[in-house]
Amino acid sequence: MRLAEGPRALWSLGAISFAESSFFPIPPDVVVVPMVLARPKQAWLIATICTVASVLGGLFGYFIGYYAMESIGEWLIQLYGMQEKASEFHANYAEWGLWVILIKGLTPIPYKLVTIVSGAAHFALLPFIVASVITRGARFFLIAALLRAYGEPIRTFIEKRLTLVTTLFVAALVGGFAVLKYI
C-alpha cells in the first residue's frame, strides 16, 4: 500500500506491467489492487497505464520469441517451468489462431508465455497487438471497475476468484461471438 500511495507508484506500475509481459514472474495485479484501493479516483488511469505498459512489454516478449527463441525465449520458458504449456500453446495456434491470444491473455496463464510463443510462432504482429490491447485492457479495466465500485470488500473476492471472473468473461465473450455467427 505504501508503494501504491507513493510518488513513483504509476512509474512502478508501468515497469512491473511491462516486465511481467515479457520476463518478470509477478503479475501487475499485486500492484493494481492496492493502487486502485488507495486511489479510487484514478482507477481508469491506473488501468490504462497497466494496459499500455503490458502491451508494450508484450511486444518485447513477442520479439524475444520471434528473434531469440532458441536463446532467451527457451531459457525464460524453462526458468518458469512452462515447457509443456509452451508446446501446447504453440500447437493451438494452428487451430485457433487469434482466439488463443484473446482467451489466454485473460487467464492466469503467465502472459509472457503468450507473448514469447506468439513471436516464436510468427503470429501476425498487428492482430497480436490488437488482441493484446483487448485482452489486457479487459482484464485490468475489469479489476479497476470492481475495485472502484466495491472497494475493499471486493478485494478478497478478486484475489481468490480472479480465475472464475475471467473465465466467466471469456465464456460470455466466446458465447456472444458464437451467437452472432450462427444467428
Side-chain angles (χ1 to χ4, degrees):
M1 283 299 275
R2 190 171 46 201
L3 172 64
E5 296 169 343
R8 292 190 175 99
L10 295 175
W11 287 104
S12 297
L13 172 65
I16 290 169
S17 298
F18 178 92
E20 183 273 335
S21 294
S22 48
F23 60 86
F24 193 62
I26 300 172
D29 307 72
V30 299
V31 180
V32 170
V33 170
M35 281 187 71
V36 174
L37 289 173
R39 305 169 178 207
K41 291 182 181 176
Q42 291 185 326
W44 308 133
L45 175 64
I46 292 165
T48 300
I49 289 170
C50 198
T51 300
V52 170
S54 183
V55 171
L56 292 174
L59 284 170
F60 185 63
Y62 178 95
F63 289 121
I64 287 172
Y66 196 95
Y67 294 109
M69 186 61 188
E70 281 89 39
S71 56
I72 299 169
E74 289 291 335
W75 177 77
L76 284 169
I77 288 172
Q78 288 176 2
L79 179 68
Y80 296 119
M82 299 184 299
Q83 300 91 320
E84 188 176 311
K85 285 186 180 182
S87 296
E88 179 184 311
F89 187 71
H90 198 339
N92 285 335
Y93 268 113
E95 188 174 348
W96 300 103
L98 181 64
W99 285 104
V100 173
I101 297 170
L102 288 170
I103 292 170
K104 299 294 185 185
L106 286 168
T107 65
I109 291 173
Y111 194 59
K112 70 191 90 349
L113 176 64
V114 174
T115 66
I116 293 169
V117 176
S118 293
H122 292 236
F123 191 80
L125 186 59
L126 184 59
F128 171 79
I129 293 169
V130 170
S132 293
V133 169
I134 292 168
T135 193
R136 299 311 272 176
R139 178 183 172 124
F140 299 129
F141 277 89
L142 176 64
I143 291 170
L146 289 171
L147 288 167
R148 187 163 193 252
Y150 300 105
E152 188 66 42
I154 198 75
R155 178 183 188 168
T156 304
F157 177 82
I158 289 172
E159 289 172 351
K160 289 184 177 180
R161 294 186 177 84
L162 182 60
T163 301
L164 174 65
V165 171
T166 57
T167 301
L168 291 174
F169 179 78
V170 167
L173 180 69
V174 171
F177 279 108
V179 167
L180 288 174
K181 182 176 180 179
Y182 296 108
I183 288 186

